[in-house]
Amino acid sequence: MYFMNLAEASTTQPPIIRKSNELIEARYRLSIWEQRLILTLLSNVTSKDEDFKRYKIRVADFMKQWQLNDDSHSLYEKVQDAADSLLTKTIQLSDDPTTSEMVSWLAYVKYKRGSGLVEMEFHASLKPYLLQLRKHFTQYQLNHVINFRNQYSIRIYELLKIRVFRAEDGAFTRSFKYDDLRSLLAIEDGEYAMFWNFKSRVIVPAVEEISANTDLEITDVSYGKT
């Protein structure tokens, strides 16, 4: 078990990402490219929307927004691959051994080669977790995660951000059991089997990126003996 102590600074700047806490604490795993597409799509959803729409994302704008320097051909291929793979990616909402509840990320993807546009729509099953959120949700500014390069940083940032309301004097602590965090991040048993590998590939990069780029400063990380 390890603990993270954080301090929060306040800034206000759009676009804003809103997710239900249940979705944030669900089990799923996306590549950094898939997460970028999901967040770009979500940044177009407003608090007043009652239904999902099909949004067209211009790859050139996507590249500029995420401050990416890949050559254009490579970037277009990565965006297309991420959009295609998102159609098959699911979210596990329940770990109850008697009940398996799964939802899909996307219902529609259209990518016309050479157009520079990708069109996507969230799956209707995500409505309770992304639309008309009134309570038990977390929001943050998209610009906080723009410079993330590690695929786990966004997930860990959201898992910490969800507890900001508990901050006293600007600081709070959140603890994770090792197996629980692996489960939340959907890391398989054979991956990062040694704890030092999990720490160096998952925790350390996330801590560095969160502290350097977001409204949260991680001031201490403590690792338990078990």
Side-chain angles (χ1 to χ4, degrees):
M1 180 182 294
Y2 42 90
F3 303 86
M4 297 184 177
N5 297 320
L6 308 102
E8 185 189 39
S10 61
T11 57
T12 54
Q13 183 176 335
I16 298 296
I17 301 299
R18 296 179 181 86
K19 293 183 180 180
S20 73
N21 293 347
E22 186 176 0
L23 179 60
I24 289 176
E25 296 192 313
R27 178 178 178 177
Y28 67 87
R29 181 174 178 177
L30 299 177
S31 71
I32 187 64
W33 286 92
E34 292 164 347
Q35 291 182 79
R36 287 168 178 162
L37 275 179
I38 289 294
L39 292 180
T40 300
L41 189 61
L42 188 54
S43 69
N44 288 285
V45 175
T46 73
S47 59
K48 296 180 180 180
D49 287 346
E50 297 181 354
D51 206 349
F52 292 130
K53 305 172 185 177
R54 289 184 181 177
Y55 292 102
K56 291 183 179 180
I57 298 174
R58 191 177 300 276
V59 177
D61 294 337
F62 176 87
M63 179 172 62
K64 182 178 180 181
Q65 181 181 48
W66 289 93
Q67 300 177 16
L68 300 171
N69 297 316
D70 302 54
D71 66 85
S72 58
H73 177 74
S74 173
L75 180 67
Y76 280 63
E77 291 294 326
K78 289 176 180 177
V79 170
Q80 181 179 5
D81 290 345
D84 289 344
S85 66
L86 278 169
L87 277 174
T88 64
K89 293 296 179 72
T90 58
I91 307 157
Q92 183 177 336
L93 293 170
S94 174
D95 279 330
D96 189 325
T98 64
T99 305
S100 179
E101 184 179 3
M102 311 285 287
V103 295
S104 300
W105 280 106
L106 298 181
Y108 178 85
V109 170
K110 180 180 179 181
Y111 188 97
K112 185 177 181 180
R113 188 173 296 277
S115 68
L117 294 171
V118 59
E119 188 174 354
M120 302 189 301
E121 182 180 347
F122 281 117
H123 196 282
S125 60
L126 284 176
K127 286 183 182 181
Y129 310 102
L130 297 176
L131 295 181
Q132 297 287 303
L133 301 177
R134 297 291 182 265
K135 58 182 180 179
H136 306 305
F137 72 94
T138 297
Q139 67 178 32
Y140 60 89
Q141 300 165 43
L142 180 63
N143 68 298
H144 288 320
V145 301
I146 290 296
N147 293 311
F148 285 2
R149 297 295 180 262
N150 183 277
Q151 74 177 100
Y152 303 107
S153 297
I154 294 173
R155 290 296 321 278
I156 292 177
Y157 171 67
E158 291 178 346
L159 288 166
L160 297 174
K161 187 71 174 174
I162 203 175
R163 299 296 179 90
V164 165
F165 74 96
R166 296 187 178 183
E168 296 182 4
D169 298 325
F172 68 98
T173 297
R174 178 163 193 188
S175 63
F176 298 92
K177 290 183 178 179
Y178 174 59
D179 288 340
D180 290 346
L181 185 56
R182 288 181 64 95
S183 179
L184 287 169
L185 301 178
I187 295 175
E188 301 296 335
D189 291 341
E191 297 180 274
Y192 313 130
M194 302 298 292
F195 180 76
W196 65 266
N197 199 13
F198 178 82
K199 176 182 175 182
S200 64
R201 298 291 295 277
V202 178
I203 301 301
V204 172
V207 167
E208 291 176 350
E209 290 190 327
I210 291 168
S211 292
N213 298 290
T214 78
D215 53 341
L216 299 180
E217 179 186 1
I218 300 176
T219 59
D220 183 56
V221 182
S222 301
Y223 300 93
K225 295 182 180 180
T226 59

